[in-house]
PDB file of all heavy atoms in Angstrom:
ATOM      1  N   GLU B 643      64.480 -43.034  12.855  1.00  0.00           N
ATOM      2  CA  GLU B 643      65.814 -42.946  12.222  1.00  0.00           C
ATOM      3  C   GLU B 643      66.525 -44.284  12.380  1.00  0.00           C
ATOM      4  O   GLU B 643      66.485 -44.898  13.453  1.00  0.00           O
ATOM      5  CB  GLU B 643      66.631 -41.848  12.899  1.00  0.00           C
ATOM      6  CG  GLU B 643      66.195 -40.478  12.402  1.00  0.00           C
ATOM      7  CD  GLU B 643      67.012 -39.375  13.043  1.00  0.00           C
ATOM      8  OE1 GLU B 643      68.151 -39.641  13.431  1.00  0.00           O
ATOM      9  OE2 GLU B 643      66.476 -38.266  13.140  1.00  0.00           O
ATOM     10  N   VAL B 644      67.125 -44.729  11.286  1.00  0.00           N
ATOM     11  CA  VAL B 644      67.794 -46.033  11.326  1.00  0.00           C
ATOM     12  C   VAL B 644      69.068 -45.921  12.152  1.00  0.00           C
ATOM     13  O   VAL B 644      69.907 -45.058  11.897  1.00  0.00           O
ATOM     14  CB  VAL B 644      68.155 -46.508   9.899  1.00  0.00           C
ATOM     15  CG1 VAL B 644      68.804 -47.874   9.938  1.00  0.00           C
ATOM     16  CG2 VAL B 644      66.904 -46.507   9.038  1.00  0.00           C
ATOM     17  N   GLU B 645      69.073 -46.696  13.171  1.00  0.00           N
ATOM     18  CA  GLU B 645      70.251 -46.692  14.045  1.00  0.00           C
ATOM     19  C   GLU B 645      71.416 -47.355  13.314  1.00  0.00           C
ATOM     20  O   GLU B 645      71.294 -48.480  12.837  1.00  0.00           O
ATOM     21  CB  GLU B 645      69.950 -47.517  15.302  1.00  0.00           C
ATOM     22  CG  GLU B 645      68.869 -46.878  16.166  1.00  0.00           C
ATOM     23  CD  GLU B 645      69.455 -46.043  17.274  1.00  0.00           C
ATOM     24  OE1 GLU B 645      70.573 -46.356  17.703  1.00  0.00           O
ATOM     25  OE2 GLU B 645      68.789 -45.062  17.675  1.00  0.00           O
ATOM     26  N   PRO B 646      72.463 -46.639  13.149  1.00  0.00           N
ATOM     27  CA  PRO B 646      73.610 -47.302  12.495  1.00  0.00           C
ATOM     28  C   PRO B 646      74.129 -48.460  13.349  1.00  0.00           C
ATOM     29  O   PRO B 646      74.062 -48.403  14.573  1.00  0.00           O
ATOM     30  CB  PRO B 646      74.647 -46.191  12.400  1.00  0.00           C
ATOM     31  CG  PRO B 646      74.227 -45.151  13.371  1.00  0.00           C
ATOM     32  CD  PRO B 646      72.769 -45.294  13.599  1.00  0.00           C
ATOM     33  N   ASP B 647      74.505 -49.495  12.661  1.00  0.00           N
ATOM     34  CA  ASP B 647      74.981 -50.683  13.372  1.00  0.00           C
ATOM     35  C   ASP B 647      76.285 -50.413  14.128  1.00  0.00           C
ATOM     36  O   ASP B 647      76.607 -51.039  15.120  1.00  0.00           O
ATOM     37  CB  ASP B 647      75.215 -51.850  12.403  1.00  0.00           C
ATOM     38  CG  ASP B 647      73.881 -52.338  11.868  1.00  0.00           C
ATOM     39  OD1 ASP B 647      72.851 -52.065  12.529  1.00  0.00           O
ATOM     40  OD2 ASP B 647      73.860 -52.950  10.777  1.00  0.00           O
ATOM     41  N   VAL B 648      76.966 -49.421  13.565  1.00  0.00           N
ATOM     42  CA  VAL B 648      78.258 -49.143  14.194  1.00  0.00           C
ATOM     43  C   VAL B 648      78.272 -47.729  14.743  1.00  0.00           C
ATOM     44  O   VAL B 648      77.598 -46.871  14.213  1.00  0.00           O
ATOM     45  CB  VAL B 648      79.421 -49.272  13.166  1.00  0.00           C
ATOM     46  CG1 VAL B 648      79.694 -50.727  12.910  1.00  0.00           C
ATOM     47  CG2 VAL B 648      79.090 -48.510  11.901  1.00  0.00           C
ATOM     48  N   PRO B 649      78.939 -47.450  15.754  1.00  0.00           N
ATOM     49  CA  PRO B 649      78.996 -46.096  16.277  1.00  0.00           C
ATOM     50  C   PRO B 649      79.536 -45.140  15.235  1.00  0.00           C
ATOM     51  O   PRO B 649      80.363 -45.528  14.395  1.00  0.00           O
ATOM     52  CB  PRO B 649      79.963 -46.211  17.463  1.00  0.00           C
ATOM     53  CG  PRO B 649      80.110 -47.667  17.748  1.00  0.00           C
ATOM     54  CD  PRO B 649      79.735 -48.394  16.515  1.00  0.00           C
ATOM     55  N   ALA B 650      78.986 -43.890  15.276  1.00  0.00           N
ATOM     56  CA  ALA B 650      79.344 -42.907  14.260  1.00  0.00           C
ATOM     57  C   ALA B 650      80.851 -42.695  14.175  1.00  0.00           C
ATOM     58  O   ALA B 650      81.403 -42.538  13.087  1.00  0.00           O
ATOM     59  CB  ALA B 650      78.659 -41.589  14.587  1.00  0.00           C
ATOM     60  N   GLU B 651      81.460 -42.687  15.330  1.00  0.00           N
ATOM     61  CA  GLU B 651      82.901 -42.380  15.277  1.00  0.00           C
ATOM     62  C   GLU B 651      83.712 -43.498  14.615  1.00  0.00           C
ATOM     63  O   GLU B 651      84.806 -43.271  14.115  1.00  0.00           O
ATOM     64  CB  GLU B 651      83.460 -42.068  16.685  1.00  0.00           C
ATOM     65  CG  GLU B 651      83.258 -43.117  17.708  1.00  0.00           C
ATOM     66  CD  GLU B 651      81.979 -42.910  18.501  1.00  0.00           C
ATOM     67  OE1 GLU B 651      81.045 -42.265  17.977  1.00  0.00           O
ATOM     68  OE2 GLU B 651      81.918 -43.390  19.622  1.00  0.00           O
ATOM     69  N   ALA B 652      83.057 -44.679  14.533  1.00  0.00           N
ATOM     70  CA  ALA B 652      83.784 -45.797  13.928  1.00  0.00           C
ATOM     71  C   ALA B 652      83.613 -45.838  12.419  1.00  0.00           C
ATOM     72  O   ALA B 652      84.304 -46.558  11.737  1.00  0.00           O
ATOM     73  CB  ALA B 652      83.298 -47.114  14.538  1.00  0.00           C
ATOM     74  N   ALA B 653      82.602 -45.058  11.924  1.00  0.00           N
ATOM     75  CA  ALA B 653      82.252 -45.138  10.506  1.00  0.00           C
ATOM     76  C   ALA B 653      83.415 -44.805   9.575  1.00  0.00           C
ATOM     77  O   ALA B 653      83.662 -45.540   8.617  1.00  0.00           O
ATOM     78  CB  ALA B 653      81.068 -44.240  10.228  1.00  0.00           C
ATOM     79  N   PRO B 654      84.147 -43.701   9.799  1.00  0.00           N
ATOM     80  CA  PRO B 654      85.246 -43.385   8.865  1.00  0.00           C
ATOM     81  C   PRO B 654      86.254 -44.523   8.762  1.00  0.00           C
ATOM     82  O   PRO B 654      86.727 -44.836   7.668  1.00  0.00           O
ATOM     83  CB  PRO B 654      85.883 -42.148   9.480  1.00  0.00           C
ATOM     84  CG  PRO B 654      84.841 -41.553  10.365  1.00  0.00           C
ATOM     85  CD  PRO B 654      84.023 -42.681  10.821  1.00  0.00           C
ATOM     86  N   GLN B 656      85.534 -47.609   9.057  1.00  0.00           N
ATOM     87  CA  GLN B 656      84.953 -48.679   8.240  1.00  0.00           C
ATOM     88  C   GLN B 656      85.143 -48.363   6.771  1.00  0.00           C
ATOM     89  O   GLN B 656      85.468 -49.224   5.966  1.00  0.00           O
ATOM     90  CB  GLN B 656      83.468 -48.783   8.558  1.00  0.00           C
ATOM     91  CG  GLN B 656      83.157 -50.005   9.376  1.00  0.00           C
ATOM     92  CD  GLN B 656      81.659 -50.228   9.480  1.00  0.00           C
ATOM     93  OE1 GLN B 656      80.869 -49.494   8.923  1.00  0.00           O
ATOM     94  NE2 GLN B 656      81.305 -51.254  10.205  1.00  0.00           N
TER      95      GLN B 656
END
Side-chain angles (χ1 to χ4, degrees):
Chain B
E643 282 181 26
V644 182
E645 294 264 332
D647 291 339
V648 284
E651 56 268 25
Q656 253 190 2

